[in-house]
Amino acid sequence: AQTVTQSQPEMSVQEAETVTLSCTYDTSESDYYLFWYKQPPSRQMILVIRQEAYKQQNATENRFSVNFQKAAKSFSLKISDSQLGDAAMYFCAYRDQGAQKLVFGQGTRLTINP
Amino acid sequence: GAVVSQHPSWVICKSGTSVKIECRSLDFQATTMFWYRQFPKQSLMLMATSNEGSKATYEQGVEKDKFLINHASLTLSTLTVTSAHPEDSSFYICSARDLTPPPEQYFGPGTRLTVT
């Protein structure tokens, strides 16, 4: 079974600085999707970024970018110019291309220091 | 963007009673909806996957007779917690999968259930 591991339960960063959240996963599949979701205090899950495994180019969404290392099964999230509104739980998630279910990591709580 | 609503957002019920939570996809059709449970400071735990017009598929360890799921239309799925007990108190989140590729899951805002 696929597993997703987030080894950083908590991270903090100064406002306007850059922070990287780590995620590793285990799968024997070659085609899959990886996601980062944000869960702010409201607890509404928000999709931050998506990466298709067949794409070598790392996905970017404004201040958010990923470092996708397929061979290493690593999928880190970089947040540039951190803002107070970025404070939230961040979950890394995996889904087989042909599957419906998401597999979530344990989450990383990100604190932004003003 | 795709919006998923949940109702109610917060419910308190007495032990032994049943409570129903609705999940609706407001601006898209969802053949598949998912129900998650989240304990404080923990990740989301998938409870079941429901497909429109068919029986839900429950994850291992989830009591299907306790957590009844109905997915009667392409925009509505319901989770009924039967004979609720205090240990059922939790945050329940639904998500709906869009049909258009790439198939995304859109999450509802969640329902906080407190059983007294």
Side-chain angles (χ1 to χ4, degrees):
Chain A
Q2 290 84 359
T3 59
V4 177
T5 301
Q6 294 177 251
S7 58
Q8 306 155 315
E10 295 183 355
M11 292 282 285
S12 64
V13 64
Q14 290 295 126
E15 192 177 3
E17 308 243 315
T18 296
V19 64
T20 299
L21 308 184
S22 301
C23 172
T24 58
Y25 58 95
D26 187 25
T27 184
S28 58
E29 303 294 328
S30 59
D31 294 325
Y32 48 87
Y33 297 95
L34 294 164
F35 306 84
W36 278 98
Y37 284 91
K38 170 185 178 181
Q39 189 180 41
S42 68
R43 303 191 78 170
Q44 170 73 61
M45 294 286 285
I46 301 166
L47 176 64
V48 175
I49 202 163
R50 177 184 67 243
Q51 175 80 43
E52 290 91 340
Y54 67 87
K55 290 186 177 179
Q56 293 187 342
Q57 187 173 8
N58 289 323
T60 63
E61 286 289 340
N62 301 314
R63 297 183 294 108
F64 299 87
S65 61
V66 297
N67 183 3
F68 173 47
Q69 300 290 327
K70 191 172 184 178
K73 297 180 183 176
S74 170
F75 183 62
S76 61
L77 174 70
K78 185 172 82 171
I79 306 174
S80 304
D81 185 24
S82 297
Q83 300 175 0
L84 294 177
D86 295 333
M89 281 289 289
Y90 286 82
F91 293 99
C92 179
Y94 166 100
R95 190 181 78 223
D96 281 344
Q97 187 181 42
Q100 300 185 93
K101 298 194 296 186
L102 284 169
V103 179
F104 284 95
Q106 305 92 321
T108 297
R109 181 171 299 280
L110 178 63
T111 302
I112 311 296
N113 300 313
Chain B
V3 179
V4 176
S5 70
Q6 274 184 249
H7 178 79
S9 56
W10 189 19
V11 58
I12 302 174
C13 70
K14 292 188 176 182
S15 187
T17 62
S18 296
V19 61
K20 180 184 286 187
I21 302 169
E22 291 187 349
C23 176
R24 293 181 184 272
S25 57
L26 298 185
D27 50 3
F28 67 99
Q29 293 184 326
T31 56
T32 305
M33 289 185 172
F34 306 85
W35 287 95
Y36 297 86
R37 185 173 181 177
Q38 187 179 32
F39 292 104
K41 298 186 179 182
Q42 292 190 24
S43 188
L44 281 70
M45 181 191 77
L46 180 66
M47 299 175 65
T49 302
S50 74
N51 292 292
E52 185 261 340
S54 62
K55 290 184 178 180
T57 301
Y58 290 82
E59 295 298 301
Q60 191 173 5
V62 177
E63 300 176 61
K64 61 178 69 177
D65 293 332
K66 180 165 191 63
F67 298 100
L68 300 179
I69 292 171
N70 182 274
H71 191 164
S73 77
L74 286 173
T75 59
L76 173 65
S77 177
T78 60
L79 167 67
T80 302
V81 183
T82 62
S83 186
H85 289 96
E87 57 265 31
D88 298 325
S89 299
S90 190
F91 194 70
Y92 293 88
I93 303 173
C94 76
S95 70
R97 187 174 176 186
D98 195 350
L99 290 174
T100 56
E104 294 287 1
Q105 273 194 39
Y106 299 97
F107 287 83
T111 296
R112 182 179 301 281
L113 170 63
T114 301
V115 184
T116 61

